[in-house]
């Protein structure tokens, strides 16, 4: 693995002095999230919110995007929080839809981990439903079919036989927990072995020497050797897409929780310092970390993901000063989101505004994005 620079955290003293995000703040913010779910469940029982809103409003559609599990995940969070059967009934109904997608729908994606961890795995963990478990294991099998032996990674997008798509992306970090879970549940070590190999390939290639990340990385389909990195949703191939860096901030401690691979947390400290050092004054990043001031759009979803990642990392790190910094940073981001980035008081069926899906494609810019809503609620 290449040498990765460890930046000092420039705002360490600021983060160490951030007032704790209180239980009352969390309860108030969660009450708003549940209110939005109560208002939208009828619309999103037999269909799913699209990935991003238009003028603050999510349209509905079929279970055919990589983002369809995030609303289901919010329902399971609300059920875990409140115990209300209304959330559970709709979420269980969604499991039927995810089973149908597994059998007959679009599974030509690596984002199977997003899709089935937040829907069917959550269903099983919260209710003990064995059928939901079986569907989730079937989804893990579908993800395993995207394995590439040459290069040792799970192919990201497109047809599995397309050499032009012989690549993985930083988002893949969030799909690995489905495989770790399947390995534990079934006793089949191959799920975990391949997830670990993909993690190693990611650490060896998608990270730059300065601890920033490429969005996508191509491997040579003939030799399996590293080829080149580039962006798809960031500002440039040499910049650092803010949501991609947040996937690393969260994905690395998730992998460590299953593997106890010390390298994952060593690298996590470096990618997190890079991320925190490029936050603007209100702690919510611009859509690409090349921007630290100015009028470019923010990406609230990146902050929500990173806050979850910091809270996950706190479980495993031993240094008290670093725990204090991470706690303060997560609280600062979450408070900023709760105070200034929600749709409270607006005509919207979303929760968190000022997100960005894909700026280069002018898609979902300065809108609600459904994963931003989910990770905001998870962080709370």
């Amino acid at each position: 693995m290449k040498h990765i620079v460890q930046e000092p955290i420039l705002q360490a003293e600021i983060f160490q002095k951030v007032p704790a995000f209180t239980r009352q703040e969390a309860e108030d913010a969660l009450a708003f999230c549940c209110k939005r779910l109560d208002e939208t469940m009828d619309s999103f029982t037999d269909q799913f919110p699209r990935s991003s809103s238009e003028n603050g409003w999510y349209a509905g559609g079929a279970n055919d995007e990589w983002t369809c599990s995030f609303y289901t995940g919010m329902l399971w969070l609300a059920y875990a929080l409140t115990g209300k059967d209304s959330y559970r009934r709709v979420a269980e109904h969604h499991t039927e839809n995810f089973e149908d997608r597994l059998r007959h729908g679009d599974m030509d994606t690596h984002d199977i981990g997003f899709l089935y961890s937040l829907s069917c795995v959550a269903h099983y963990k919260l209710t003990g439903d064995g059928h939901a478990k079986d569907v989730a294991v079937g989804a893990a099998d579908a993800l395993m079919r995207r394995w590439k032996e040459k290069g040792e990674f799970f192919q990201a997008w497109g047809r599995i036989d397309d050499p032009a798509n012989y690549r993985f992306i930083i988002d893949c970090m969030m799909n690995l927990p489905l495989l770790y879970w399947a390995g534990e549940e079934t006793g089949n070590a191959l799920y975990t072995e391949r997830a670990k190999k993909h993690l190693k390939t990611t650490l060896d290639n998608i990270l730059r020497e300065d601890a920033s990340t490429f969005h996508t990385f191509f491997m040579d389909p003939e030799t399996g050797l590293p080829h080149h990195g580039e962006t798809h949703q960031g500002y440039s191939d040499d910049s650092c897409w803010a949501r991609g860096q947040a996937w690393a901030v969260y994905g690395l401690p998730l992998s460590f929780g299953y593997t106890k691979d010390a390298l994952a947390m060593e690298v996590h400290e470096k990618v997190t310092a890079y991320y925190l050092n490029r936050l603007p004054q209100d702690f919510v990043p611009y859509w690409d970390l090349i921007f630290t001031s100015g009028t470019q759009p923010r990406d609230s979803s990146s902050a929500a993901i990173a806050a979850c990642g910091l809270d996950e990392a706190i479980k495993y790190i031993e240094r008290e000063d670093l725990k204090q910094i991470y706690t303060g940073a997560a609280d600062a981001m979450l408070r900023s989101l709760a105070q200034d980035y929600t749709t409270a008081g607006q005509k919207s069926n979303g929760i968190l505004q000022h997100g960005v899906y894909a700026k280069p494609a002018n898609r979902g810019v300065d809108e609600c994005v459904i994963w931003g809503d989910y990770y905001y609620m998870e962080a709370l």
Side-chain angles (χ1 to χ4, degrees):
M1 181 180 171
K2 64 182 76 111
H3 174 71
I4 307 295
V5 171
Q6 173 69 67
E7 292 183 349
I9 298 176
L10 302 179
Q11 301 187 78
E13 291 186 4
I14 293 175
F15 291 135
Q16 288 173 319
K17 295 177 181 178
V18 169
F21 193 84
T22 67
R23 183 182 184 88
Q24 189 61 57
E25 287 179 287
E27 288 178 350
D28 290 346
L30 283 165
F32 171 67
C33 294
C34 291
K35 178 176 179 289
R36 276 286 190 258
L37 290 174
D38 293 339
E39 294 168 345
T40 56
M41 276 194 297
D42 286 347
S43 298
F44 299 132
T45 294
D46 294 316
Q47 58 180 353
F48 297 81
R50 297 289 80 185
S51 53
S52 56
S53 67
E54 292 186 16
N55 299 316
W57 202 264
Y58 289 116
N63 188 351
D64 57 6
E65 293 189 294
W66 70 273
T67 57
C68 290
S69 64
F70 290 112
Y71 188 84
T72 311
M74 285 190 283
L75 293 171
W76 283 123
L77 289 175
Y79 173 68
L81 178 71
T82 68
K84 289 183 179 179
D85 285 339
S86 55
Y87 301 125
R88 176 173 174 169
R89 282 196 301 270
V90 177
E92 287 180 331
H93 182 65
H94 283 191
T95 293
E96 298 173 13
N97 201 301
F98 278 98
E99 181 179 13
D100 185 67
R101 178 170 180 170
L102 178 63
R103 309 302 179 209
H104 310 293
D106 178 17
M107 297 292 289
D108 210 13
T109 173
H110 73 108
D111 286 318
I112 294 166
F114 281 118
L115 289 167
Y116 287 84
S117 291
L118 304 185
S119 58
C120 297
V121 174
H123 184 170
Y124 169 63
K125 286 184 175 181
L126 288 172
T127 72
D129 187 288
H131 185 65
K133 171 187 171 180
D134 292 342
V135 175
V137 172
D141 292 336
L143 180 53
M144 290 283 278
R145 291 193 285 272
R146 300 192 69 77
W147 178 251
K148 293 296 185 181
E149 196 63 42
K150 290 182 178 179
E152 297 189 326
F153 67 97
F154 291 99
Q155 181 184 311
W157 301 313
R159 293 196 332 269
I160 199 66
D161 59 349
D162 182 2
N165 271 317
Y166 209 79
R167 61 174 159 185
F168 59 96
I169 65 176
I170 189 61
D171 316 41
C172 294
M173 294 291 295
M174 301 297 292
N175 289 297
L176 300 182
L178 176 64
L179 300 178
Y180 296 131
W181 170 84
E184 290 182 349
E185 288 294 327
T186 66
N188 183 348
L190 188 59
Y191 295 110
T192 301
E193 289 171 9
R194 287 186 175 175
K196 287 180 177 179
K197 288 179 179 178
H198 180 98
L199 174 63
K200 182 179 186 303
T201 300
T202 299
L203 295 178
D204 286 346
N205 295 287
I206 214 165
L207 282 132
R208 302 187 183 99
E209 287 81 356
D210 65 357
S212 66
T213 52
F214 289 109
H215 178 192
T216 82
F217 199 90
F218 287 81
M219 308 294 276
D220 188 305
E222 298 298 324
T223 65
L225 294 174
H227 198 275
H228 73 284
E230 62 180 47
T231 197
H232 184 68
Q233 289 169 235
Y235 177 74
S236 70
D237 292 343
D238 297 325
S239 71
C240 184
W241 178 46
R243 192 161 81 246
Q245 194 77 1
W247 291 139
V249 171
Y250 196 5
L252 285 166
L254 285 176
S255 276
F256 178 80
Y258 286 99
T259 68
K260 300 302 183 281
D261 182 349
L263 183 59
M265 291 306 293
E266 178 185 328
V267 173
H268 176 267
E269 185 175 346
K270 296 175 180 181
V271 300
T272 299
Y274 186 97
Y275 185 92
L276 296 179
N277 285 344
R278 285 154 184 83
L279 294 179
Q281 192 171 5
D282 72 348
F283 309 111
V284 176
Y286 293 88
W287 68 279
D288 193 292
L289 296 180
I290 198 171
F291 305 109
T292 55
S293 63
T295 59
Q296 289 284 330
R298 302 298 185 93
D299 185 8
S300 58
S301 74
S302 175
I305 295 161
C308 290
L310 291 168
D311 283 336
E312 185 70 19
I314 289 164
K315 300 175 185 177
Y316 307 119
I317 58 178
E318 297 180 356
R319 283 174 44 198
E320 289 302 322
D321 63 325
L322 195 58
K323 282 186 179 182
Q324 193 175 24
I325 291 168
Y326 282 7
T327 299
D331 286 355
M333 287 189 282
L334 198 52
R335 179 172 289 113
S336 186
L337 293 175
Q339 291 181 348
D340 299 318
Y341 283 82
T342 75
T343 61
Q346 301 182 26
K347 186 178 180 181
S348 174
N349 61 356
I351 293 172
L352 200 63
Q353 60 179 334
H354 304 312
V356 173
Y357 188 155
K359 178 68 163 59
N362 196 32
R363 180 179 182 184
V365 178
D366 196 24
E367 291 283 356
C368 305
V369 290
I370 195 65
W371 60 88
D373 293 354
Y374 171 82
Y375 285 108
Y376 173 62
M377 192 172 179
E378 185 184 297
L380 291 169

